[in-house]
Amino acid sequence: MPSAFDITSEAAFRRTLVRIQLAGVLCLTMWALLLFILGTWEPEPYAEAWRLIVGQLLVGRAYSVSAGLKHGFPKVFLLAQCSLQDLVILLLLYPVFVAGYHRAVEHRYLKSTLSSIRATAEKHKESVARYGLVGLIAFVFFPLWSTGALAGGVIGYLLGMRTRDVFLAVIVGNFLSVACWLWLFDQMRRISEAFGDAIPGVILLIAVVVAAFARFQSLRKSSRSEENDKN
């Protein structure tokens, strides 16, 4: 029989999850309103912001930054947009994963996504655990691990890290990653001015192919794991 302390702690944790999700809804609403105002006030380039959002969801931060620079978005806007988009996803879905994972995986639209996230988190959990907060920041920062803000949040939860520390690590890692992509593509643009336009496109293509391959491998491993569990 659970003690009164356990019940109180669980209730407090659930209230924290509710606050996190409400913060996500608030951030999403405010940012959507700001994008609408910017798109109405200055259509060029802000009316095309939806392309960055969709591109980041499907391909990742690298594509969003590259496309944003190509369409003439200010660097400060891209830094805010790309960082905030992943943060909003974390705020909205972290409570779903933590509080209702077993129910969520029964939903056919969420099952494959959550299973893939969990498989990624389990795969890198031990590596991240060695370095604690710094390890989680690095996990979110490096783009070649099929990682992201949500996967980083799940790892933090599986490691038993405090929610505050999880979000701090994910926000810092994600912000630094976007800033580095901005710097990288800015350097690539300078190279293209000196040597031609083909080089940045080739580098971006390689990055997209690597990311797609990593995603495919992750999904395949997740599918195999599910088949083994059934057997």
Side-chain angles (χ1 to χ4, degrees):
M1 181 177 180
S3 65
F5 176 78
D6 293 333
I7 295 175
T8 302
S9 299
E10 182 178 351
F13 184 62
R14 289 188 177 278
R15 286 196 297 270
T16 298
L17 294 180
V18 171
R19 293 191 190 103
I20 290 173
Q21 202 159 47
L22 288 176
V25 173
L26 179 61
C27 287
L28 177 61
T29 303
M30 296 299 293
W31 189 246
L33 179 61
L34 179 59
L35 289 178
F36 175 78
I37 294 173
L38 288 173
T40 303
W41 174 54
E42 193 173 347
E44 184 64 36
Y46 294 105
E48 298 295 318
W50 66 271
R51 296 181 184 273
L52 307 183
I53 297 172
V54 174
Q56 186 164 334
L57 286 173
L58 297 179
V59 183
R61 292 168 288 198
Y63 174 85
S64 184
V65 170
S66 174
L69 290 174
K70 182 178 180 181
H71 285 86
F73 284 91
K75 294 178 184 178
V76 174
F77 173 84
L78 291 175
L79 185 61
Q81 161 60 36
C82 297
S83 300
L84 186 60
Q85 180 169 333
D86 282 344
L87 176 60
V88 168
I89 292 174
L90 177 64
L91 289 169
L92 293 176
L93 295 186
Y94 178 84
V96 174
F97 189 97
V98 171
Y101 174 75
H102 295 292
R103 291 191 300 272
V105 294
E106 296 175 358
H107 197 288
R108 61 177 181 175
Y109 296 112
L110 294 176
K111 182 177 180 179
S112 60
T113 300
L114 291 179
S115 296
S116 176
I117 292 170
R118 185 179 181 87
T120 300
E122 291 284 1
K123 179 181 178 181
H124 300 289
K125 184 174 68 172
E126 293 184 4
S127 300
V128 173
R130 296 176 192 170
Y131 306 99
L133 191 66
V134 175
L136 187 55
I137 292 174
F139 175 85
V140 177
F141 173 81
F142 287 106
L144 299 180
W145 292 2
S146 299
T147 64
L150 184 56
V154 172
I155 283 187
Y157 169 73
L158 293 177
L159 291 176
M161 296 175 64
R162 291 184 300 178
T163 304
R164 180 180 60 187
D165 293 339
V166 170
F167 276 81
L168 174 62
V170 170
I171 290 171
V172 171
N174 192 52
F175 182 86
L176 291 177
S177 179
V178 174
C180 285
W181 277 119
L182 281 168
W183 177 85
L184 176 63
F185 281 110
D186 187 55
Q187 297 303 310
M188 289 167 55
R189 185 171 58 180
R190 295 182 182 182
I191 293 174
S192 70
E193 292 175 355
F195 299 100
D197 295 332
I199 294 178
V202 171
I203 296 176
L204 176 60
L205 178 61
I206 292 174
V208 171
V209 170
V210 170
F213 178 76
R215 176 65 174 170
F216 172 76
Q217 289 291 93
S218 176
L219 290 175
R220 189 171 68 172
K221 289 180 180 179
S222 176
S223 177
R224 288 179 178 177
S225 177
E226 290 179 6
E227 291 179 359
N228 292 334
D229 291 340
K230 290 180 181 179
N231 296 331

